[in-house]
Amino acid sequence: MEQKKQNPKAEDETQIVSRRIQRISLHITPIPRPLHDHDSNLGLLPCARREKLEVETEKLSVYMRGKYRDIQEKIYEYFNSRPELQTPVEISKDEHRELCWRQMCGLIREAGIRPLKYVVEEPAKYFAIAEAVGAVDISLGIKLGVQYSLWGGSVINLGTKKHKDKYFEKIDSLEYPGCFAMTELHHGSNVQGIQTVATFDPITDEFTINTPNDGAIKWWIGNAAVHGKFASVFAKLMLPTHDAKGVSDMGVHAFIVPLRDLKTHQALPGIEIHDCGHKVGLNGVDNGALRFTSVRIPRDNLLNRFGDVSRDGKYTSSLPTINKRFAATLGELVGGRVGLAYSSVGVLKIANTIAIRYSLLRQQFGPPKQPEISILDYQSQQHKLMPMLASTYAFHFATVYLIEIYSQMKITHDEQLVGDVHALSAGIKAYVTSYTAKSLSVCREACGGHGYAAVNRFGTLRNDHDIFQTFEGDNTVLLQQVAADLLKQYKEKFQGGTLAVTWNYLRESMNTYLSQPNPVTSRWEGAEHLQDPKFQLDAFRYRTSRLLQSAAVRLRKHSKTLGGFGAWNRCLNHLLTLAESHIESVILAKFIEAVEKCPDPNSQAALKLVCDLYALNRIWNDIGTYRNVDYVAPNKAKAIHKLTDYLSFQVRNIAKELVDGFDLPDHVTRAPIAMQSEAYAQYKQYVGF
């Protein structure tokens, strides 16, 4: 009998359909299998083994943690060897403050970690230290930051050689614990509005520091309530004049002000110190309030890098205006934002590790008369945690890039790079800390009732991290700075100016947006196209360009009737969305670069999968924007949704390896429900079984 000739094309299509049906069926009815090896509870269930990538955790971890892995391990090992320095679940405010101080003294004096030189010479190493210390206790990480990045950093960055010679070693050794006194009761974000004054007295060659009213009391000052002996006090520098005013305001400057007697630790004359009390979180940090009444300090205590006062009371500066001096001063303090963004990613890594390890361990329900399945095999749990895991990796590489350009800025002092770092640090800090704050609640919920136990850390992490959204710049204010810079660059583009490095993509992207609002690619829906980094990055940048163009039009329209301030306020939500969109574009670009640079093929394949999930999940979450302008056709939108689901499933297959890639040991995560080896044993022991 003659065989029928088969159509190869039809056969291929049949196979494709068959494979798709098989994959979809795996979502609906997982294939269960009992776990026989009780020592490997974190092993993947069979339903998740299909098409699994092989990932070598060690190689992934080396790529993630880079050359500062050794110093982080040194910190982890020190605290692991000193259980009395590990923060217990139940601890009072006063006990936590003293423990935090002992932790920091042990780190500096016993473990031999000396961070201050890295603040200037090797910022990436300092931030690696801060990340590891914050993993031990976020309060300790913040207290370390106050001492070295803020108090020490202000002396080094805003002072001159005489200040470094006098204070460097004693700050580094903790002999001079100090504070950073910028925020006031009535002024936080608006630093130029602070009211504390420092008036020069040419007769005694001193400055007199005064708090003129209750609104000018320095508030929320870390290290002030208990341990601080000095403070960098930000105040308006007032010089005496011979005109009717009597004084001339030279703008905000920083001054070294002793707070307590070095021997008795009592507050010095004219200095009133109060405790800000118990807080929502970070109770290991002793926040206090400071009032100054005719406190006299030597003229040399002015941190005079950007402005100085001579013996006869004459002011000199290399910068011609108050605004330029103020911008230069704040520019030197931008490292705090960089560090907070990086530390926030560290908190997100811990939360991911706890939630995902628990979700792999925990089994609930399953097919009739079959063993229960891991809760991470449920699509709903994957949708909660897998995009978050992808975002954590994306944020890691973005903050590593931020640290790199910040380090370059500290070396070169390139003016364009300074502006670039200022805007990018503002945006990434705002975006990442807001995302982490929301994610901590999602992780708690994903762990059910066990996530509510304090011993499993979500409550502490959430409470301690919450303030990250406020200090070093309120997130809403920081995003407005990003939007303002975008609009400035938009104006530059149409005037033929040079765009800063971070904003370069706007030139091409704006041209694409203005000339081709409905691209031909809107109907391409193949997986190869959707996973193409060019499509993903173009989509992100197109959205930013569209938002930028429409924001500029709206501002121009409303400014005619409302004025500049009123127009800005009318368009504020639009501007915040614009800033977030731009930051997402930068984050994706840096993630794509990190994937391309990864030297290990298996790690690279895993990172590519995670990067695709990050990109397509973000596109899907904002699909309305793309559909409204027909950037994505209906069938393409469906294809993005399906592929995002499939990528979540695939990332779930290697979720254990991905969280292990963070390389956080059990004593760092310290959550019994996430212990790799002991599972629930420690949890049961904690509640008394």
Side-chain angles (χ1 to χ4, degrees):
M1 191 172 95
E2 186 179 345
Q3 279 188 319
K4 292 183 180 178
K5 292 185 179 178
Q6 294 183 341
N7 184 336
K9 186 176 179 181
E11 186 178 41
D12 288 346
E13 288 179 354
T14 302
Q15 288 175 352
I16 291 169
V17 170
S18 176
R19 281 199 300 271
R20 285 181 177 173
I21 292 172
Q22 187 180 24
R23 287 171 183 170
I24 292 169
S25 68
L26 286 172
H27 287 272
I28 301 168
T29 312
I31 304 168
R33 190 186 74 180
L35 285 169
H36 299 295
D37 184 358
H38 297 291
D39 293 328
S40 60
N41 286 333
L42 283 171
L44 296 167
L45 290 177
C47 61
R49 290 187 187 274
R50 305 175 79 86
E51 300 184 35
K52 180 188 172 185
L53 288 171
E54 293 298 325
V55 183
E56 293 183 53
T57 302
E58 177 66 19
K59 290 182 179 178
L60 178 61
S61 178
V62 167
Y63 184 59
M64 287 286 289
R65 292 178 63 186
K67 63 180 179 179
Y68 302 115
R69 188 181 187 185
D70 288 348
I71 197 164
Q72 289 189 325
E73 287 301 322
K74 184 178 180 181
I75 293 167
Y76 293 151
E77 287 168 10
Y78 171 73
F79 283 104
N80 191 39
S81 70
R82 297 291 302 273
E84 74 277 10
L85 292 181
Q86 294 179 19
T87 308
V89 174
E90 299 177 48
I91 186 169
S92 71
K93 167 177 66 66
D94 292 339
E95 290 171 334
H96 197 178
R97 287 174 171 182
E98 286 311 306
L99 174 61
C100 210
W101 175 247
R102 292 202 314 274
Q103 288 171 332
M104 192 155 74
C105 289
L107 185 73
I108 304 305
R109 296 169 182 171
E110 292 180 15
I113 305 294
R114 301 300 285 265
L116 188 56
K117 66 179 179 180
Y118 303 127
V119 170
V120 173
E121 294 176 12
E122 200 173 358
K125 191 168 188 175
Y126 170 76
F127 292 129
I129 292 169
E131 181 190 29
V133 168
V136 173
D137 186 333
I138 300 179
S139 283
L140 176 59
I142 296 303
K143 196 169 182 71
L144 182 95
V146 170
Q147 174 67 14
Y148 293 103
S149 180
L150 296 180
W151 155 234
S154 61
V155 172
I156 293 170
N157 292 318
L158 301 181
T160 49
K161 185 178 183 299
K162 63 183 177 183
H163 300 109
K164 295 171 193 173
D165 291 345
K166 183 175 180 179
Y167 292 97
F168 186 99
E169 181 55 36
K170 292 183 178 181
I171 292 173
D172 201 27
S173 66
L174 289 182
E175 188 177 342
Y176 283 178
C179 316
F180 183 82
M182 178 182 280
T183 298
E184 296 180 355
L185 182 59
H186 283 180
H187 288 90
S189 298
N190 182 14
V191 179
Q192 277 188 297
I194 63 173
Q195 297 172 293
T196 303
V197 292
T199 306
F200 181 63
D201 183 347
I203 298 173
T204 61
D205 196 26
E206 293 174 317
F207 286 100
T208 304
I209 312 294
N210 273 296
T211 303
N213 55 63
D214 287 352
I217 296 171
K218 296 295 183 182
W219 208 269
W220 293 124
I221 309 304
N223 274 0
V226 179
H227 298 122
K229 297 180 186 295
F230 293 84
S232 292
V233 176
F234 287 77
K236 292 179 180 178
L237 194 163
M238 312 298 282
L239 292 179
T241 61
H242 300 293
D243 57 18
K245 288 184 179 180
V247 291
S248 176
D249 182 356
M250 307 309 296
V252 175
H253 289 64
F255 303 82
I256 295 175
V257 180
L259 299 179
R260 291 181 169 95
D261 186 279
L262 294 178
K263 293 181 179 178
T264 67
H265 203 62
Q266 296 299 308
L268 293 170
I271 293 175
E272 194 178 340
I273 304 175
H274 291 272
D275 195 325
C276 286
H278 199 276
K279 307 183 294 291
V280 170
L282 295 180
N283 282 299
V285 182
D286 51 312
N287 293 89
L290 304 172
R291 186 200 296 270
F292 305 99
T293 305
S294 300
V295 176
R296 289 185 168 269
I297 59 171
R299 178 169 54 88
D300 276 354
N301 282 27
L302 166 65
L303 293 172
N304 60 338
R305 178 178 170 189
F306 298 116
D308 202 1
V309 175
S310 64
R311 177 65 186 85
D312 59 358
K314 291 182 179 178
Y315 185 84
T316 57
S317 174
S318 59
L319 301 170
T321 66
I322 286 178
N323 286 342
K324 284 189 177 295
R325 291 193 292 271
F326 179 72
T329 298
L330 291 193
E332 285 300 322
L333 303 174
V334 77
R337 288 178 190 166
V338 177
L340 268 188
Y342 193 65
S343 296
S344 184
V345 179
V347 175
L348 193 54
K349 289 175 185 175
I350 294 171
N352 269 268
T353 300
I354 297 170
I356 289 171
R357 284 181 179 166
Y358 172 77
S359 297
L360 286 161
L361 280 168
R362 183 72 165 179
Q363 297 177 7
Q364 292 288 287
F365 305 108
K369 299 181 182 180
Q370 297 286 343
E372 293 182 306
I373 67 169
S374 162
I375 62 172
L376 198 55
D377 285 328
Y378 288 100
Q379 190 183 60
S380 55
Q381 193 80 344
Q382 291 171 15
H383 279 203
K384 286 177 184 176
L385 298 178
M386 295 305 96
M388 186 191 302
L389 178 58
S391 295
T392 306
Y393 268 84
F395 298 166
H396 168 82
F397 291 117
T399 51
V400 166
Y401 167 72
L402 179 59
I403 289 170
E404 287 173 359
I405 62 170
Y406 172 76
S407 302
Q408 290 173 21
M409 182 199 79
K410 296 295 290 182
I411 295 168
T412 65
H413 302 288
D414 178 77
E415 190 173 332
Q416 192 176 30
L417 195 56
V418 168
D420 217 32
V421 170
H422 183 267
L424 197 56
S425 63
I428 290 181
K429 182 268 182 186
Y431 188 89
V432 168
T433 57
S434 292
Y435 184 96
T436 298
K438 295 181 182 76
S439 297
L440 288 167
S441 291
V442 173
C443 286
R444 203 293 305 157
E445 181 188 343
C447 293
H450 293 310
Y452 199 61
V455 71
N456 289 318
R457 293 202 72 190
F458 289 121
T460 303
L461 290 171
R462 184 170 57 189
N463 290 349
D464 285 349
H465 177 275
D466 192 64
I467 194 62
F468 281 40
Q469 300 173 93
T470 302
F471 58 24
E472 292 295 337
D474 174 86
N475 284 357
T476 302
V477 174
L478 294 182
L479 288 174
Q480 288 180 72
Q481 291 179 15
V482 176
D485 274 356
L486 277 163
L487 288 160
K488 179 183 174 184
Q489 297 294 329
Y490 175 81
K491 185 178 178 182
E492 286 285 326
K493 175 195 159 26
F494 288 104
Q495 291 180 348
T498 302
L499 274 69
V501 176
T502 303
W503 324 88
N504 263 339
Y505 75 85
L506 286 173
R507 187 179 300 282
E508 182 180 345
S509 190
M510 284 300 299
N511 288 339
T512 302
Y513 170 69
L514 292 171
S515 63
Q516 191 186 9
N518 298 313
V520 175
T521 56
S522 67
R523 283 163 178 76
W524 293 356
E525 55 187 85
E528 186 176 349
H529 165 67
L530 297 179
Q531 291 180 267
D532 183 350
K534 186 178 186 309
F535 158 71
Q536 296 165 0
L537 203 49
D538 282 350
F540 275 50
R541 290 172 169 178
Y542 183 90
R543 178 185 53 168
T544 304
S545 296
R546 180 176 179 275
L547 287 164
L548 179 55
Q549 164 75 5
S550 54
V553 170
R554 289 187 65 205
L555 285 169
R556 192 157 49 242
K557 171 187 170 184
H558 290 303
S559 62
K560 293 175 183 176
T561 54
L562 301 175
F565 182 85
W568 186 270
N569 196 33
R570 174 68 65 88
C571 301
L572 188 52
N573 287 336
H574 186 156
L575 293 165
L576 297 177
T577 303
L578 164 64
E580 289 175 343
S581 176
H582 166 67
I583 294 302
E584 287 175 351
S585 297
V586 174
I587 290 170
L588 177 60
K590 296 308 152 190
F591 199 172
I592 290 169
E593 286 180 17
V595 173
E596 292 171 348
K597 291 177 182 176
C598 184
D600 174 55
N602 288 345
S603 297
Q604 186 180 54
L607 291 174
K608 175 67 171 98
L609 186 68
V610 174
C611 185
D612 287 341
L613 176 58
Y614 172 75
L616 293 176
N617 182 69
R618 283 302 311 129
I619 292 171
W620 174 250
N621 286 345
D622 201 18
I623 199 66
T625 297
Y626 295 105
R627 284 291 304 116
N628 283 344
V629 294
D630 205 27
Y631 189 89
V632 170
N635 284 345
K636 186 170 186 173
K638 290 178 184 177
I640 290 171
H641 188 203
K642 289 177 182 177
L643 185 55
T644 303
D645 280 350
Y646 179 68
L647 291 170
S648 288
F649 173 71
Q650 289 289 73
V651 170
R652 176 263 178 265
N653 285 354
I654 55 171
K656 179 185 182 299
E657 289 84 351
L658 289 170
V659 294
D660 287 353
F662 298 145
D663 203 14
L664 297 172
D666 280 354
H667 72 272
V668 172
T669 57
R670 295 205 318 281
I673 59 169
M675 294 298 185
Q676 296 186 75
S677 55
E678 300 176 48
Y680 290 104
Q682 289 195 10
Y683 194 26
K684 289 187 290 185
Q685 184 180 0
Y686 175 75
V687 296
F689 284 99

